[in-house]
Structure formats: structure tokens, C-alpha cells
Amino acid sequence: MTYLLHIDSSAVPQRSVSRDVAATFLSTWQKNNPELAVVHRDLATDPLPHLTPDAVTGRFTAAEDRTEAQAAAVALQDTLIEEFHGAGAYLFTVPMYNNSVPSAFKAWIDQVFVVGRVLFGSPDQVPTRGRRAVVVASRGGGYGPGSPREGMDHVTPYLKTVLGNSLGLNVDFVTPELTMAPRNPAMAALVPLAEASLARAHEEAEQYARQF
């Protein structure tokens, strides 16, 4: 392994459950792998641009024919792809925003997903196939079986497709739920469940860090 790539997409740098659980993973992982570096990309403090026409057309234009804007857009994509390919394992914090992933994380996906560099016709050609990844996917409510919001989780299925099927990563999910309960009076009765879910998430993060 060369380094662990840690990508944060929570919009809240402080008091973020996903970042807090990720910190537990990192603490354990670094104790077991003191010689290996962590490359951290924070999409909240250093956001990426969403795709532009130059970013799309630049990939289909010969290097010598690209405009300055196209060349800059392609250079950014190449930097992100090389950073992604260079990692031996991954830690993503992807909280649920409005039943889906944060737009900051979607921007990273759109910049990295380049045919012939990251995406290939055959799964066997994917350079990152088989590498380990942990996703901390916190959510303010409960989305498990039997809950009123069952079936409304569009984070986990999407990331299984994107990170697992497309990029070939071996993905494990840590999903602390009911994170809004301590702050929302209407959810006061759910605080014990929220605390149990958070404790379980920290335990799972620590366990996965030991397995890497």
C-alpha cells in the first residue's frame, strides 16, 4: 500500500458525525500502519468545480488543440485521477443530504470518472479493482427495514454501484443513523437509539481499520 486516500464530503468541518467516526478509523489505522501516509482531500474546505463544457469537451480534444480552459479542466481531472490511482485503500465520509450524496462528493465522482483512465469496458481492466474502502455514510433519520423511511436511502445503493461495481473497490459501509435526534426535540424519544447507533459505528470503524 502506498497511502490511504481520505475524502471528506461533509459540509460541516466541526460537529460532524461522519468526520468523527472517520477519525476513529484513522486513529486505529495509523497505530497499525505508522509508516504509511494519509492523503486527505476535504471537499468542504477545498471544493471541486462541477463539470463544465470545457471539462467534457477537453477529454475528446487533442492536447495540442485544447483551449486554455479545456487544458486546465483536463489537468484537474488528471490530478484527481492520479491521486485516486496512487492510493492503496480509501476512506470516504459521505453523509446523506436530502436522501442522496452531497453535491461536493458528486462533483468529485464526475471529475474522476473518465473513460479509459478510470472506467473501462471490462471489470478486469479497472486499476483499482479489489482495493479496500470504507464509507462512513451518516444520516439524520432512520432508514432501516421497518422504518418509515425504508427505501429512501439513495446513498448506499448508489455508492455500491459507483465505488463497487464501476471502480471495483471492496467497499464496507458504516452507517450511524438518527444523528439529528440529539438536536431535534421532535426526535427526543429516539436519542437512546441514536447513541447506540453512533457507538456501534465507532466500533465498526475501529474493526475495519484493524482489517486493512
Side-chain angles (χ1 to χ4, degrees):
M1 185 187 297
T2 50
Y3 55 83
L4 174 77
L5 179 59
H6 174 204
I7 296 183
D8 270 318
S9 64
S10 170
V12 185
Q14 290 84 30
R15 297 184 64 188
S16 164
V17 170
S18 62
R19 290 174 184 262
D20 191 37
V21 173
T24 293
F25 177 97
L26 287 169
S27 176
T28 303
W29 187 85
Q30 289 175 314
K31 287 178 183 177
N32 292 318
N33 302 278
E35 74 286 0
L36 296 177
V38 176
V39 173
H40 183 210
R41 180 171 290 276
D42 193 328
L43 301 178
T45 59
D46 188 18
L48 296 172
H50 290 278
L51 284 182
T52 63
D54 290 317
V56 176
T57 59
R59 304 303 316 193
F60 302 98
T61 303
E64 63 273 15
D65 296 328
R66 289 172 185 156
T67 66
E68 185 175 337
Q70 286 176 323
V74 170
L76 173 61
Q77 292 173 355
D78 287 340
T79 296
L80 295 171
I81 291 169
E82 288 164 10
E83 179 181 78
F84 176 67
H85 280 165
Y90 308 87
L91 172 64
F92 302 99
T93 63
V94 191
M96 180 186 291
Y97 288 171
N98 302 313
N99 297 334
S100 187
V101 301
S103 62
F105 192 74
K106 184 61 166 60
W108 178 82
I109 289 173
D110 289 341
Q111 295 288 359
V112 168
F113 270 46
V114 174
V115 176
R117 294 292 311 279
V118 173
L119 299 178
F120 295 86
S122 169
D124 294 333
Q125 295 177 284
V126 178
T128 51
R129 185 169 181 80
R131 297 181 192 177
R132 294 291 301 275
V134 164
V135 176
V136 181
S138 57
R139 58 279 311 276
Y143 295 80
S147 69
R149 296 173 181 261
E150 181 180 1
M152 298 172 66
D153 172 10
H154 302 293
V155 174
T156 306
Y158 171 69
L159 293 180
K160 284 181 178 179
T161 298
V162 170
L163 301 179
N165 295 352
S166 297
L167 299 182
L169 299 181
N170 181 2
V171 187
D172 290 301
F173 287 87
V174 179
T175 55
E177 293 199 319
L178 303 169
T179 62
M180 289 299 297
R183 295 181 242 175
N184 185 350
M187 300 175 66
L190 300 174
V191 168
L193 290 176
E195 292 174 345
S197 178
L198 181 59
R200 185 166 55 251
H202 281 287
E203 291 174 2
E204 290 175 352
E206 189 173 341
Q207 289 170 3
Y208 286 133
R210 288 199 184 102
Q211 294 172 11
F212 268 40

mmCIF file with all atom_site columns, all heavy atoms in Angstrom, residues 136-153:
data_model
loop_
_atom_site.group_PDB
_atom_site.id
_atom_site.type_symbol
_atom_site.label_atom_id
_atom_site.label_alt_id
_atom_site.label_comp_id
_atom_site.label_asym_id
_atom_site.label_entity_id
_atom_site.label_seq_id
_atom_site.pdbx_PDB_ins_code
_atom_site.Cartn_x
_atom_site.Cartn_y
_atom_site.Cartn_z
_atom_site.occupancy
_atom_site.B_iso_or_equiv
_atom_site.pdbx_formal_charge
_atom_site.auth_seq_id
_atom_site.auth_comp_id
_atom_site.auth_asym_id
_atom_site.auth_atom_id
_atom_site.pdbx_PDB_model_num
ATOM 1   N N   . VAL A 1 136 ? -18.162 6.037  5.458  1.00 0.00 ? 136 VAL A N   1
ATOM 2   C CA  . VAL A 1 136 ? -18.953 6.444  6.618  1.00 0.00 ? 136 VAL A CA  1
ATOM 3   C C   . VAL A 1 136 ? -20.130 7.257  6.078  1.00 0.00 ? 136 VAL A C   1
ATOM 4   O O   . VAL A 1 136 ? -19.957 8.382  5.623  1.00 0.00 ? 136 VAL A O   1
ATOM 5   C CB  . VAL A 1 136 ? -18.130 7.277  7.616  1.00 0.00 ? 136 VAL A CB  1
ATOM 6   C CG1 . VAL A 1 136 ? -18.997 7.658  8.818  1.00 0.00 ? 136 VAL A CG1 1
ATOM 7   C CG2 . VAL A 1 136 ? -16.893 6.509  8.069  1.00 0.00 ? 136 VAL A CG2 1
ATOM 8   N N   . ALA A 1 137 ? -21.296 6.640  6.095  1.00 0.00 ? 137 ALA A N   1
ATOM 9   C CA  . ALA A 1 137 ? -22.493 7.241  5.492  1.00 0.00 ? 137 ALA A CA  1
ATOM 10  C C   . ALA A 1 137 ? -23.500 7.561  6.591  1.00 0.00 ? 137 ALA A C   1
ATOM 11  O O   . ALA A 1 137 ? -24.468 6.823  6.814  1.00 0.00 ? 137 ALA A O   1
ATOM 12  C CB  . ALA A 1 137 ? -23.096 6.313  4.446  1.00 0.00 ? 137 ALA A CB  1
ATOM 13  N N   . SER A 1 138 ? -23.286 8.648  7.296  1.00 0.00 ? 138 SER A N   1
ATOM 14  C CA  . SER A 1 138 ? -24.188 9.042  8.372  1.00 0.00 ? 138 SER A CA  1
ATOM 15  C C   . SER A 1 138 ? -25.480 9.594  7.796  1.00 0.00 ? 138 SER A C   1
ATOM 16  O O   . SER A 1 138 ? -25.531 10.060 6.658  1.00 0.00 ? 138 SER A O   1
ATOM 17  C CB  . SER A 1 138 ? -23.515 10.085 9.266  1.00 0.00 ? 138 SER A CB  1
ATOM 18  O OG  . SER A 1 138 ? -23.125 11.211 8.492  1.00 0.00 ? 138 SER A OG  1
ATOM 19  N N   . ARG A 1 139 ? -26.539 9.542  8.602  1.00 0.00 ? 139 ARG A N   1
ATOM 20  C CA  . ARG A 1 139 ? -27.826 10.072 8.178  1.00 0.00 ? 139 ARG A CA  1
ATOM 21  C C   . ARG A 1 139 ? -28.616 10.544 9.385  1.00 0.00 ? 139 ARG A C   1
ATOM 22  O O   . ARG A 1 139 ? -28.542 9.953  10.466 1.00 0.00 ? 139 ARG A O   1
ATOM 23  C CB  . ARG A 1 139 ? -28.605 9.061  7.354  1.00 0.00 ? 139 ARG A CB  1
ATOM 24  C CG  . ARG A 1 139 ? -28.935 7.725  7.959  1.00 0.00 ? 139 ARG A CG  1
ATOM 25  C CD  . ARG A 1 139 ? -27.804 6.708  7.909  1.00 0.00 ? 139 ARG A CD  1
ATOM 26  N NE  . ARG A 1 139 ? -27.182 6.572  6.609  1.00 0.00 ? 139 ARG A NE  1
ATOM 27  C CZ  . ARG A 1 139 ? -27.652 5.802  5.646  1.00 0.00 ? 139 ARG A CZ  1
ATOM 28  N NH1 . ARG A 1 139 ? -28.725 5.067  5.839  1.00 0.00 ? 139 ARG A NH1 1
ATOM 29  N NH2 . ARG A 1 139 ? -27.024 5.728  4.495  1.00 0.00 ? 139 ARG A NH2 1
ATOM 30  N N   . GLY A 1 140 ? -29.375 11.622 9.203  1.00 0.00 ? 140 GLY A N   1
ATOM 31  C CA  . GLY A 1 140 ? -30.091 12.241 10.315 1.00 0.00 ? 140 GLY A CA  1
ATOM 32  C C   . GLY A 1 140 ? -31.257 11.436 10.830 1.00 0.00 ? 140 GLY A C   1
ATOM 33  O O   . GLY A 1 140 ? -31.642 11.553 12.000 1.00 0.00 ? 140 GLY A O   1
ATOM 34  N N   . GLY A 1 141 ? -31.865 10.609 9.968  1.00 0.00 ? 141 GLY A N   1
ATOM 35  C CA  . GLY A 1 141 ? -33.012 9.797  10.359 1.00 0.00 ? 141 GLY A CA  1
ATOM 36  C C   . GLY A 1 141 ? -32.674 8.323  10.348 1.00 0.00 ? 141 GLY A C   1
ATOM 37  O O   . GLY A 1 141 ? -31.506 7.930  10.271 1.00 0.00 ? 141 GLY A O   1
ATOM 38  N N   . GLY A 1 142 ? -33.715 7.510  10.401 1.00 0.00 ? 142 GLY A N   1
ATOM 39  C CA  . GLY A 1 142 ? -33.545 6.064  10.339 1.00 0.00 ? 142 GLY A CA  1
ATOM 40  C C   . GLY A 1 142 ? -34.105 5.525  9.041  1.00 0.00 ? 142 GLY A C   1
ATOM 41  O O   . GLY A 1 142 ? -35.218 5.866  8.650  1.00 0.00 ? 142 GLY A O   1
ATOM 42  N N   . TYR A 1 143 ? -33.329 4.676  8.366  1.00 0.00 ? 143 TYR A N   1
ATOM 43  C CA  . TYR A 1 143 ? -33.719 4.174  7.048  1.00 0.00 ? 143 TYR A CA  1
ATOM 44  C C   . TYR A 1 143 ? -33.684 2.654  6.969  1.00 0.00 ? 143 TYR A C   1
ATOM 45  O O   . TYR A 1 143 ? -33.733 2.085  5.887  1.00 0.00 ? 143 TYR A O   1
ATOM 46  C CB  . TYR A 1 143 ? -32.805 4.777  5.972  1.00 0.00 ? 143 TYR A CB  1
ATOM 47  C CG  . TYR A 1 143 ? -32.948 6.266  5.848  1.00 0.00 ? 143 TYR A CG  1
ATOM 48  C CD1 . TYR A 1 143 ? -32.304 7.119  6.739  1.00 0.00 ? 143 TYR A CD1 1
ATOM 49  C CD2 . TYR A 1 143 ? -33.749 6.828  4.868  1.00 0.00 ? 143 TYR A CD2 1
ATOM 50  C CE1 . TYR A 1 143 ? -32.453 8.497  6.644  1.00 0.00 ? 143 TYR A CE1 1
ATOM 51  C CE2 . TYR A 1 143 ? -33.898 8.201  4.762  1.00 0.00 ? 143 TYR A CE2 1
ATOM 52  C CZ  . TYR A 1 143 ? -33.254 9.025  5.657  1.00 0.00 ? 143 TYR A CZ  1
ATOM 53  O OH  . TYR A 1 143 ? -33.408 10.392 5.563  1.00 0.00 ? 143 TYR A OH  1
ATOM 54  N N   . GLY A 1 144 ? -33.605 2.006  8.108  1.00 0.00 ? 144 GLY A N   1
ATOM 55  C CA  . GLY A 1 144 ? -33.518 0.558  8.126  1.00 0.00 ? 144 GLY A CA  1
ATOM 56  C C   . GLY A 1 144 ? -34.847 -0.121 7.853  1.00 0.00 ? 144 GLY A C   1
ATOM 57  O O   . GLY A 1 144 ? -35.892 0.539  7.731  1.00 0.00 ? 144 GLY A O   1
ATOM 58  N N   . PRO A 1 145 ? -34.834 -1.450 7.748  1.00 0.00 ? 145 PRO A N   1
ATOM 59  C CA  . PRO A 1 145 ? -36.060 -2.214 7.494  1.00 0.00 ? 145 PRO A CA  1
ATOM 60  C C   . PRO A 1 145 ? -37.128 -1.929 8.553  1.00 0.00 ? 145 PRO A C   1
ATOM 61  O O   . PRO A 1 145 ? -36.846 -1.923 9.748  1.00 0.00 ? 145 PRO A O   1
ATOM 62  C CB  . PRO A 1 145 ? -35.586 -3.671 7.562  1.00 0.00 ? 145 PRO A CB  1
ATOM 63  C CG  . PRO A 1 145 ? -34.129 -3.613 7.236  1.00 0.00 ? 145 PRO A CG  1
ATOM 64  C CD  . PRO A 1 145 ? -33.646 -2.327 7.829  1.00 0.00 ? 145 PRO A CD  1
ATOM 65  N N   . GLY A 1 146 ? -38.340 -1.663 8.104  1.00 0.00 ? 146 GLY A N   1
ATOM 66  C CA  . GLY A 1 146 ? -39.449 -1.404 9.005  1.00 0.00 ? 146 GLY A CA  1
ATOM 67  C C   . GLY A 1 146 ? -39.593 0.038  9.438  1.00 0.00 ? 146 GLY A C   1
ATOM 68  O O   . GLY A 1 146 ? -40.594 0.397  10.068 1.00 0.00 ? 146 GLY A O   1
ATOM 69  N N   . SER A 1 147 ? -38.612 0.890  9.114  1.00 0.00 ? 147 SER A N   1
ATOM 70  C CA  . SER A 1 147 ? -38.705 2.298  9.496  1.00 0.00 ? 147 SER A CA  1
ATOM 71  C C   . SER A 1 147 ? -39.590 3.040  8.502  1.00 0.00 ? 147 SER A C   1
ATOM 72  O O   . SER A 1 147 ? -39.779 2.605  7.358  1.00 0.00 ? 147 SER A O   1
ATOM 73  C CB  . SER A 1 147 ? -37.317 2.942  9.513  1.00 0.00 ? 147 SER A CB  1
ATOM 74  O OG  . SER A 1 147 ? -36.792 3.050  8.196  1.00 0.00 ? 147 SER A OG  1
ATOM 75  N N   . PRO A 1 148 ? -40.157 4.193  8.896  1.00 0.00 ? 148 PRO A N   1
ATOM 76  C CA  . PRO A 1 148 ? -40.995 4.957  7.979  1.00 0.00 ? 148 PRO A CA  1
ATOM 77  C C   . PRO A 1 148 ? -40.262 5.409  6.714  1.00 0.00 ? 148 PRO A C   1
ATOM 78  O O   . PRO A 1 148 ? -40.889 5.643  5.679  1.00 0.00 ? 148 PRO A O   1
ATOM 79  C CB  . PRO A 1 148 ? -41.431 6.163  8.821  1.00 0.00 ? 148 PRO A CB  1
ATOM 80  C CG  . PRO A 1 148 ? -41.336 5.699  10.235 1.00 0.00 ? 148 PRO A CG  1
ATOM 81  C CD  . PRO A 1 148 ? -40.162 4.771  10.244 1.00 0.00 ? 148 PRO A CD  1
ATOM 82  N N   . ARG A 1 149 ? -38.942 5.518  6.794  1.00 0.00 ? 149 ARG A N   1
ATOM 83  C CA  . ARG A 1 149 ? -38.145 5.979  5.646  1.00 0.00 ? 149 ARG A CA  1
ATOM 84  C C   . ARG A 1 149 ? -37.471 4.837  4.882  1.00 0.00 ? 149 ARG A C   1
ATOM 85  O O   . ARG A 1 149 ? -36.591 5.076  4.060  1.00 0.00 ? 149 ARG A O   1
ATOM 86  C CB  . ARG A 1 149 ? -37.086 6.981  6.105  1.00 0.00 ? 149 ARG A CB  1
ATOM 87  C CG  . ARG A 1 149 ? -37.667 8.264  6.672  1.00 0.00 ? 149 ARG A CG  1
ATOM 88  C CD  . ARG A 1 149 ? -36.583 9.140  7.253  1.00 0.00 ? 149 ARG A CD  1
ATOM 89  N NE  . ARG A 1 149 ? -37.146 10.358 7.821  1.00 0.00 ? 149 ARG A NE  1
ATOM 90  C CZ  . ARG A 1 149 ? -37.166 11.532 7.190  1.00 0.00 ? 149 ARG A CZ  1
ATOM 91  N NH1 . ARG A 1 149 ? -36.648 11.644 5.994  1.00 0.00 ? 149 ARG A NH1 1
ATOM 92  N NH2 . ARG A 1 149 ? -37.685 12.593 7.773  1.00 0.00 ? 149 ARG A NH2 1
ATOM 93  N N   . GLU A 1 150 ? -37.867 3.621  5.161  1.00 0.00 ? 150 GLU A N   1
ATOM 94  C CA  . GLU A 1 150 ? -37.284 2.491  4.443  1.00 0.00 ? 150 GLU A CA  1
ATOM 95  C C   . GLU A 1 150 ? -37.458 2.675  2.933  1.00 0.00 ? 150 GLU A C   1
ATOM 96  O O   . GLU A 1 150 ? -38.527 3.039  2.453  1.00 0.00 ? 150 GLU A O   1
ATOM 97  C CB  . GLU A 1 150 ? -37.947 1.191  4.871  1.00 0.00 ? 150 GLU A CB  1
ATOM 98  C CG  . GLU A 1 150 ? -37.373 -0.049 4.190  1.00 0.00 ? 150 GLU A CG  1
ATOM 99  C CD  . GLU A 1 150 ? -38.048 -1.329 4.620  1.00 0.00 ? 150 GLU A CD  1
ATOM 100 O OE1 . GLU A 1 150 ? -38.985 -1.264 5.443  1.00 0.00 ? 150 GLU A OE1 1
ATOM 101 O OE2 . GLU A 1 150 ? -37.643 -2.400 4.129  1.00 0.00 ? 150 GLU A OE2 1
ATOM 102 N N   . GLY A 1 151 ? -36.393 2.429  2.197  1.00 0.00 ? 151 GLY A N   1
ATOM 103 C CA  . GLY A 1 151 ? -36.431 2.577  0.747  1.00 0.00 ? 151 GLY A CA  1
ATOM 104 C C   . GLY A 1 151 ? -36.053 3.956  0.253  1.00 0.00 ? 151 GLY A C   1
ATOM 105 O O   . GLY A 1 151 ? -35.986 4.191  -0.962 1.00 0.00 ? 151 GLY A O   1
ATOM 106 N N   . MET A 1 152 ? -35.791 4.899  1.184  1.00 0.00 ? 152 MET A N   1
ATOM 107 C CA  . MET A 1 152 ? -35.460 6.270  0.784  1.00 0.00 ? 152 MET A CA  1
ATOM 108 C C   . MET A 1 152 ? -33.966 6.564  0.879  1.00 0.00 ? 152 MET A C   1
ATOM 109 O O   . MET A 1 152 ? -33.540 7.701  0.700  1.00 0.00 ? 152 MET A O   1
ATOM 110 C CB  . MET A 1 152 ? -36.256 7.258  1.634  1.00 0.00 ? 152 MET A CB  1
ATOM 111 C CG  . MET A 1 152 ? -37.758 7.139  1.456  1.00 0.00 ? 152 MET A CG  1
ATOM 112 S SD  . MET A 1 152 ? -38.723 8.145  2.621  1.00 0.00 ? 152 MET A SD  1
ATOM 113 C CE  . MET A 1 152 ? -38.256 9.802  2.098  1.00 0.00 ? 152 MET A CE  1
ATOM 114 N N   . ASP A 1 153 ? -33.188 5.550  1.190  1.00 0.00 ? 153 ASP A N   1
ATOM 115 C CA  . ASP A 1 153 ? -31.734 5.696  1.226  1.00 0.00 ? 153 ASP A CA  1
ATOM 116 C C   . ASP A 1 153 ? -31.200 5.551  -0.191 1.00 0.00 ? 153 ASP A C   1
ATOM 117 O O   . ASP A 1 153 ? -31.128 4.444  -0.734 1.00 0.00 ? 153 ASP A O   1
ATOM 118 C CB  . ASP A 1 153 ? -31.135 4.633  2.148  1.00 0.00 ? 153 ASP A CB  1
ATOM 119 C CG  . ASP A 1 153 ? -29.605 4.593  2.080  1.00 0.00 ? 153 ASP A CG  1
ATOM 120 O OD1 . ASP A 1 153 ? -29.011 5.499  1.468  1.00 0.00 ? 153 ASP A OD1 1
ATOM 121 O OD2 . ASP A 1 153 ? -29.024 3.657  2.637  1.00 0.00 ? 153 ASP A OD2 1
#
